[in-house]
């Protein structure tokens, strides 16, 4: 392991061991302070966040974009502070930490026994939403995690999410799809963060007026297993309770090839994501390149 990898792993380890012990008001202030410092430095991540917001809010002035990126960094650090502290939250704190609308789409789907796929963008705190599902709804689920460098950091994230009641599969390796399909055929729940394609072979969608690429997995799983595909969007407000919405199911088209059906369904997913992001762009934590116009075809997503 390189020195940089050891430092990265040590910093995350310190976050989980130290921040989780802080009183909540102290953790909130610390997160905001770190966010503001990072925003003032105008590093690569902040500039990319701002450039992404420029597509979401195309008529925004430079001053408005700067305000959005500052709020975005505060939202991003709120995600990290909550995530570091989630393992220490009581069950009651988790149960009261999330308030989703239209939950019946999920509960009715689970009751039907056909399996449910929840697909989310990088909005607010998807880990908190997952912990709420396993705690409040007492429903385990399976998800997929990107392999991080160093490997010890990936192991930390897997252990963290498994500690919240999730089954975590590695994104790479090719075996994840088959396992997810089996869980769904058994009537289980699968949750996938699905607004950024990591394979460079995803589905092209229109996203805020330009072409982006999103993963085909959610639509393919729904077609192959008959599971219900539900978009979910999340948001923060000034309260400690995260809000969210479970959108209506995305139906499998009645005609067309598998590729055509996948394209239509993934576009519907992108449209649902866009509706939530447009309402609360500052809670969309997309600090990477997303639109094809920003990507180097030789390198893929970065």
């Amino acid at each position: 392991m390189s020195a940089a990898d050891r430092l990265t792993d040590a910093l995350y380890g310190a976050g989980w061991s130290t921040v989780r012990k802080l009183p909540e008001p102290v953790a909130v202030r610390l997160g905001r302070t770190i966010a503001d410092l990072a925003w003032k430095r105008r590093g690569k991540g902040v500039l990319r966040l701002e450039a992404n917001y420029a597509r979401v809010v195309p008529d925004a002035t430079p001053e408005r974009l700067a305000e959005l990126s500052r709020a975005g960094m505060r939202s991003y650090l709120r995600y990290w502070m909550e995530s570091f502290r989630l393992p220490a939250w009581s069950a009651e704190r988790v149960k009261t930490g999330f308030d989703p609308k239209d939950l019946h789409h999920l509960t009715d789907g689970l009751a039907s026994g056909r399996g449910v796929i929840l697909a989310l963008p990088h909005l607010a705190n998807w880990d908190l939403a997952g912990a709420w599902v396993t705690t409040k709804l007492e429903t385990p689920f399976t998800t997929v995690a990107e392999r991080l460098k160093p490997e010890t950091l990936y192991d930390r994230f897997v252990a963290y999410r498994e500690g919240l009641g999730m089954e975590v599969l590695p994104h790479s390796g090719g075996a994840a799809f088959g396992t997810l399909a089996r869980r769904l055929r058994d009537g289980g729940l699968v949750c996938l963060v699905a607004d950024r394609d990591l394979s460079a072979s995803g589905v092209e969608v229109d996203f805020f007026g330009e072409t982006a690429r999103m993963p085909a997995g959610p639509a393919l799983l729904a077609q192959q297993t008959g599971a219900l595909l539900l978009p979910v969007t999340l948001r923060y407000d000034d309260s400690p309770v995260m809000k969210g919405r479970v959108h209506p199911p995305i139906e499998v088209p009645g005609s067309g090839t598998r590729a055509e059906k996948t394209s239509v369904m993934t576009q519907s997913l992108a449209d649902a994501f866009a509706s939530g992001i447009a309402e609360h762009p500052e809670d969309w934590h997309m600090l990477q390149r997303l639109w094809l116009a920003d990507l180097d075809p030789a390198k893929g997503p970065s």
Side-chain angles (χ1 to χ4, degrees), residues 78 116 123 177 199 235 243 247 286:
R78 175 173 171 175
V116 176
L123 272 171
F177 188 91
S199 67
R235 66 179 177 87
K243 307 303 192 296
H247 295 251
M286 185 55 65

Side-chain angles (χ1 to χ4, degrees), residues 151-254:
E151 190 75 14
T152 52
L153 180 57
Y154 171 77
D155 292 340
R156 284 186 189 275
F157 270 94
V158 169
Y160 155 65
R161 289 183 170 129
E162 287 179 342
L164 299 175
M166 312 175 192
E167 179 188 23
V168 183
L169 307 175
H171 180 271
S172 58
F177 188 91
T179 302
L180 295 173
R182 286 194 296 274
R183 299 292 182 269
L184 292 168
R185 290 193 185 98
D186 290 339
L189 177 63
V190 163
C191 299
L192 301 170
V193 179
D195 57 343
R196 180 170 176 257
D197 178 53
L198 294 173
S199 67
S201 61
V203 179
E204 291 190 2
V205 295
D206 180 274
F207 198 52
F208 292 101
E210 291 192 45
T211 304
R213 192 185 291 119
M214 294 187 180
L220 288 172
L221 283 166
Q223 291 175 64
Q224 187 163 316
T225 67
L228 205 62
L229 176 55
L230 301 176
V232 177
T233 53
L234 309 171
R235 66 179 177 87
Y236 287 132
D237 55 22
D238 292 331
S239 79
V241 179
M242 183 175 70
K243 307 303 192 296
R245 180 190 173 200
V246 182
H247 295 251
I250 292 176
E251 302 295 340
V252 177

Side-chain angles (χ1 to χ4, degrees), residues 8-294:
T8 299
D9 183 61
L11 288 173
Y12 278 97
W16 267 299
S17 64
T18 303
V19 174
R20 66 188 294 177
K21 299 174 184 175
L22 296 175
E24 190 157 336
V26 175
V28 169
R29 288 196 299 271
L30 176 61
R32 179 162 292 201
T33 298
I34 295 171
D36 288 349
L37 287 172
W39 177 78
K40 288 175 182 177
R41 289 182 60 189
R42 307 288 291 166
K44 184 171 69 173
V46 172
L47 295 177
R48 173 47 49 195
L49 184 67
E50 213 163 276
N52 289 340
Y53 287 160
R55 283 188 167 92
V56 176
V57 191
D59 58 349
T61 63
E63 293 77 16
R64 172 60 177 148
L65 286 175
E67 291 173 1
L68 269 178
S69 65
R70 184 178 189 179
M73 289 305 294
R74 288 182 171 184
S75 176
Y76 186 48
L77 264 295
R78 175 173 171 175
Y79 159 77
W80 278 112
M81 290 296 118
E82 287 179 347
S83 295
F84 285 143
R85 292 172 51 75
L86 259 178
W89 281 15
S90 68
E92 188 60 28
R93 177 71 178 87
V94 173
K95 290 176 182 179
T96 59
F98 180 41
D99 182 22
K101 291 183 178 179
D102 299 327
L103 186 63
H104 65 277
H105 292 305
L106 171 57
T107 53
D108 291 350
L110 291 172
S112 74
R114 63 184 287 194
V116 176
I117 306 157
L118 297 181
L120 307 86
H122 286 81
L123 272 171
N125 192 337
W126 47 96
D127 285 328
L128 171 55
W132 185 88
V133 167
T134 61
T135 305
K136 176 76 172 180
L137 300 185
E138 299 182 341
T139 302
F141 65 86
T142 305
T143 188
V144 175
E146 177 184 2
R147 279 205 174 274
L148 302 171
K149 298 292 185 180
E151 190 75 14
T152 52
L153 180 57
Y154 171 77
D155 292 340
R156 284 186 189 275
F157 270 94
V158 169
Y160 155 65
R161 289 183 170 129
E162 287 179 342
L164 299 175
M166 312 175 192
E167 179 188 23
V168 183
L169 307 175
H171 180 271
S172 58
F177 188 91
T179 302
L180 295 173
R182 286 194 296 274
R183 299 292 182 269
L184 292 168
R185 290 193 185 98
D186 290 339
L189 177 63
V190 163
C191 299
L192 301 170
V193 179
D195 57 343
R196 180 170 176 257
D197 178 53
L198 294 173
S199 67
S201 61
V203 179
E204 291 190 2
V205 295
D206 180 274
F207 198 52
F208 292 101
E210 291 192 45
T211 304
R213 192 185 291 119
M214 294 187 180
L220 288 172
L221 283 166
Q223 291 175 64
Q224 187 163 316
T225 67
L228 205 62
L229 176 55
L230 301 176
V232 177
T233 53
L234 309 171
R235 66 179 177 87
Y236 287 132
D237 55 22
D238 292 331
S239 79
V241 179
M242 183 175 70
K243 307 303 192 296
R245 180 190 173 200
V246 182
H247 295 251
I250 292 176
E251 302 295 340
V252 177
S255 62
T257 65
R258 186 172 73 164
E260 289 169 343
K261 292 178 181 180
T262 300
S263 178
V264 170
M265 295 173 73
T266 306
Q267 182 62 60
S268 296
L269 205 56
D271 292 343
F273 292 168
S275 70
I277 292 167
E279 289 177 2
H280 299 275
E282 68 279 4
D283 291 327
W284 189 40
H285 308 150
M286 185 55 65
L287 281 73
Q288 299 85 20
R289 300 176 189 273
L290 179 73
W291 282 272
L292 297 195
D294 294 333

